[in-house]
């Protein structure tokens, strides 16, 4: 659970807005990722983010929504058809998807 403090039960202050800056401010790794992604997007790059923990992908999804980054996600619970659709959408010429969130346990990729 060293990836984000909100992975521990009871740490997140539920009185704060779900997609607030506290999501980034409470985690050094996410602060660094925030700066890195901003630079990569500015330079026209696209990014794959791998995580073993799907709960961390949930937090990263909140972050993607907060920053209005277009993204795809595939994890072990993603149906085969949706996996293919997500991969094709990300790889399509002119795709606007900036980030692809992947679980290392998705299997079959």
């Amino acid at each position: 659970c060293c990836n984000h403090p909100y992975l521990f039960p009871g740490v997140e202050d539920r009185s704060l807005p779900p997609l607030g800056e506290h999501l980034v401010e409470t985690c050094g790794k996410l602060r660094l990722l925030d700066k890195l992604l901003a630079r990569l997007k500015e330079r026209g790059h696209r990014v794959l983010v791998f995580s073993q923990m799907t709960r961390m992908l949930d937090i990263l999804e909140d972050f993607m929504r907060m920053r209005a980054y277009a993204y795809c996600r595939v994890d072990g619970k993603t149906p085969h058809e949706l996996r293919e659709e997500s991969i094709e959408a990300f790889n399509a010429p002119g795709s606007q998807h900036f980030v692809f969130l992947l679980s290392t346990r998705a299997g079959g990729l």
Side-chain angles (χ1 to χ4, degrees):
C1 288
C2 67
N3 289 313
H4 198 287
Y6 291 175
L7 293 171
F8 291 102
V11 173
E12 184 175 2
D13 182 350
R14 298 290 182 171
S15 68
L16 298 172
L19 300 181
E21 284 300 315
H22 62 92
L23 190 66
V24 176
E25 293 168 356
T26 58
C27 179
K29 287 181 181 181
L30 199 49
R31 270 190 246 150
L32 180 62
L33 183 64
D34 189 28
K35 290 177 184 179
L36 182 62
L37 288 177
R39 287 187 184 146
L40 290 170
K41 183 161 181 61
E42 181 181 287
R43 295 176 184 169
H45 294 280
R46 296 182 330 134
V47 180
L48 301 177
V49 177
F50 294 89
S51 176
Q52 286 185 313
M53 299 176 65
T54 56
R55 287 180 50 218
M56 186 62 203
L57 291 181
D58 296 341
I59 292 171
L60 289 172
E61 269 195 293
D62 289 345
F63 171 74
M64 295 299 147
R65 285 189 203 106
M66 187 176 87
R67 292 291 186 251
Y69 290 147
Y71 70 94
C72 297
R73 174 182 171 159
V74 170
D75 62 38
K77 293 182 181 177
T78 307
H80 183 72
E81 291 94 23
L82 187 54
R83 287 176 191 222
E84 288 182 4
E85 287 174 22
S86 296
I87 292 168
E88 288 174 14
F90 188 80
N91 288 325
S95 173
Q96 296 302 305
H97 291 93
F98 170 53
V99 177
F100 203 124
L101 302 174
L102 296 152
S103 166
T104 56
R105 297 176 170 253
L109 295 174

